[in-house]
Amino acid sequence: MREMRILICLILTQLFVVSMIVANTADSLRQQLMGLPDSSKLIKLNELLYQNNRNNVYKIYADLLLEEAQKQNNDFYKGNALLLLMRYYYARNPDSMRFYLKQAEPIYIATNRIEDLCRVKGWNIYTLTNEGTHEQVLGEVESMKKLAVRFNYPEGVDMANQALADFYLSNNLCDEGVALYEEILRSMEMRNAPLIKRINIIRQLMNKPRDLNVKMKYIHRLEEYVKICHTRKIEK
């Protein structure tokens, strides 16, 4: 019991320290920005956000950019801030991600950021799958496909189908999931989609099914793509 109390105290202390660092960083940034023209504030915060988007402080910059973009009614920078906030909450708190998605959707439609909108709608479907909300998954998949067709964005249909294939495989519908991933891969090959996107589908086909023969089939497919990359001198 004593050890548990010590652990709780340590966690609370860490949370307090982190909250103080966040508050101090935000206050310091606001001070730095005070003397800048409005347009420069947005540019500076956007630069900081994307320079730091691989570490845990990027939410500070996303919050500040959203706050400033709302003050200036700038949809471009609102969209940038919302995208990173949704990415932040995707694995941490899906309900918060959906809160920001409601704000982002009309902005992305108005500014024709359909790729970003489809990407986040795909994230939402993955979280719904993890939560076991089957009916919502199917409804969101159909809604996303209609959106992609409406804006003539075939990649969006692929994104929706990828999320649906993941749903099938997560619910032990292996044949249906593999068949749908295959359909997506054929669609990508027909329109010569970027190699990295096709390789990602093959990785899913390698990793998700339990049947060893299925896995081996796609390991050989991946090897073919590695040879293509070698021929084209793509090393990364």
Side-chain angles (χ1 to χ4, degrees):
M1 195 67 176
R2 181 172 174 273
E3 289 81 1
M4 181 62 73
R5 285 199 295 270
I6 291 171
L7 179 61
I8 291 170
C9 287
L10 287 170
I11 291 170
L12 290 173
T13 302
Q14 281 185 319
L15 289 173
F16 175 75
V17 170
V18 169
S19 66
M20 290 299 295
I21 291 171
V22 168
N24 289 337
T25 303
D27 288 343
S28 173
L29 273 170
R30 286 193 178 96
Q31 289 294 323
Q32 292 176 40
L33 295 168
M34 279 181 65
L36 294 176
D38 283 350
S39 59
S40 297
K41 289 177 186 176
L42 290 171
I43 292 168
K44 182 64 176 176
L45 284 169
N46 192 66
E47 286 174 352
L48 288 168
L49 174 58
Y50 281 90
Q51 285 167 6
N52 291 279
N53 69 0
R54 294 298 177 190
N55 59 46
N56 289 328
V57 300
Y58 75 83
K59 183 180 179 295
I60 302 171
Y61 302 114
D63 284 333
L64 288 172
L65 179 60
L66 181 60
E67 178 186 310
E68 188 62 36
Q70 286 172 334
K71 281 182 190 175
Q72 298 189 37
N73 197 27
N74 187 304
D75 281 349
F76 174 75
Y77 289 109
K78 277 186 207 173
N80 287 358
L82 288 166
L83 182 62
L84 271 293
L85 284 168
M86 288 184 284
R87 193 185 84 179
Y88 178 84
Y89 283 113
Y90 168 46
R92 292 172 174 84
N93 188 335
D95 283 339
S96 293
M97 183 194 73
R98 291 173 197 132
F99 169 77
Y100 287 112
L101 177 54
K102 285 182 181 176
Q103 297 180 46
E105 184 162 1
I107 292 171
Y108 288 165
I109 288 174
T111 55
N112 200 33
R113 292 177 67 162
I114 306 306
E115 180 178 358
D116 287 336
L117 180 55
C118 285
R119 181 183 299 129
V120 180
K121 281 182 169 288
W123 296 348
N124 183 43
I125 294 167
Y126 289 118
T127 62
L128 291 171
T129 294
N130 292 336
E131 292 166 1
T133 51
H134 294 184
E135 290 183 7
Q136 280 184 272
V137 167
L138 299 175
E140 287 297 320
V141 167
E142 287 307 308
S143 172
M144 186 172 161
K145 285 182 183 179
K146 287 178 182 175
L147 176 80
V149 170
R150 174 184 162 196
F151 288 94
N152 191 28
Y153 183 61
E155 289 85 354
V157 176
D158 283 345
M159 290 181 191
N161 280 331
Q162 286 177 56
L164 181 58
D166 176 78
F167 169 77
Y168 285 150
L169 291 170
S170 297
N171 287 280
N172 297 317
L173 298 169
C174 188
D175 290 344
E176 291 85 347
V178 169
L180 188 51
Y181 270 131
E182 276 279 15
E183 182 183 320
I184 297 163
L185 189 56
R186 283 194 297 272
S187 170
M188 287 183 168
E189 288 174 339
M190 284 177 64
R191 66 171 192 275
N192 198 27
L195 283 175
I196 186 62
K197 293 185 177 181
R198 287 182 264 169
I199 287 170
N200 183 54
I201 300 300
I202 293 171
R203 288 176 59 225
Q204 297 299 322
L205 284 161
M206 284 167 49
N207 295 334
K208 292 291 177 82
R210 296 174 182 173
D211 188 313
L212 185 59
N213 291 325
V214 173
K215 288 178 181 287
M216 288 305 299
K217 173 184 173 181
Y218 293 106
I219 287 173
H220 292 310
R221 288 285 292 276
L222 181 61
E223 186 179 24
E224 291 171 11
Y225 272 99
V226 170
K227 289 176 182 175
I228 293 171
C229 289
H230 182 70
T231 302
R232 298 183 185 179
K233 302 191 184 312
I234 300 170
E235 296 181 357
K236 187 172 179 179

